[in-house]
């Protein structure tokens, strides 16, 4: 039995989106959200960035998805790199994160709200 090509592509895209968010959470989200929980100023900034991401993805009108959040994060990272941003090579100093890291942390916060089965 052959699987139609469109099902393979969709499955691959879904796997790539989940992988992208899982990696983002491991690299940025886990430590960043822990730091935000201990720092009210950082938490407020992350909340504002998460709200902006939700608004840009029309999250108030339709549910956010793994694909939408992964696409947003990847596109934002690509645009930031085109403008000279480089991800930190060392552990991130969450006492003064840059705009890009704070925005990515907002994506991680929104990712936490997704159904965990969507990320498995």
């Amino acid at each position: 039995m052959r699987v139609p090509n469109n099902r393979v592509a969709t499955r691959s895209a879904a796997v790539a989106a989940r992988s992208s968010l899982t990696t983002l959470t491991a690299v940025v989200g886990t430590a960043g959200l822990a730091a935000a929980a201990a720092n009210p100023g950082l938490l407020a900034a992350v909340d504002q960035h998460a709200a902006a991401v939700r608004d840009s993805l029309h999250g108030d009108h339709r549910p956010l998805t793994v694909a939408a959040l992964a696409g947003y994060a990847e596109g934002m990272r690509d645009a930031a790199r085109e403008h000279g941003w480089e991800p930190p090579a060392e552990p991130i100093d969450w006492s003064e994160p840059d705009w890009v890291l704070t925005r990515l942390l907002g994506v991680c916060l929104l990712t936490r709200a997704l159904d965990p089965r969507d990320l498995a």
Side-chain angles (χ1 to χ4, degrees):
M1 180 172 161
R2 288 188 63 189
V3 177
N5 287 339
N6 64 343
R7 296 187 107 195
V8 172
T10 302
R11 175 97 172 113
S12 296
V15 168
R18 285 193 302 271
S19 177
S20 177
L21 287 182
T22 299
T23 300
L24 179 63
T25 298
V27 172
V28 174
T30 302
L33 292 173
N39 179 338
L42 177 57
L43 182 57
V46 172
D47 282 341
Q48 289 175 346
H49 279 271
V53 171
R54 185 182 307 107
D55 287 348
S56 72
L57 296 174
H58 307 289
D60 292 338
H61 302 291
R62 59 181 177 231
L64 293 175
T65 65
V66 169
L69 288 173
Y72 181 91
E74 290 171 13
M76 201 222 27
R77 263 190 317 243
D78 290 345
R81 284 186 179 125
E82 287 176 13
H83 289 90
W85 179 81
E86 289 294 326
E90 298 180 13
I92 298 168
D93 177 5
W94 288 108
S95 65
E96 292 186 30
D98 63 26
W99 186 93
V100 175
L101 288 173
T102 307
R103 191 61 145 217
L104 291 172
L105 200 50
V107 172
C108 291
L109 184 63
L110 293 170
T111 299
R112 275 191 171 178
L114 295 175
D115 186 331
R117 293 173 293 184
D118 292 338
L119 295 168

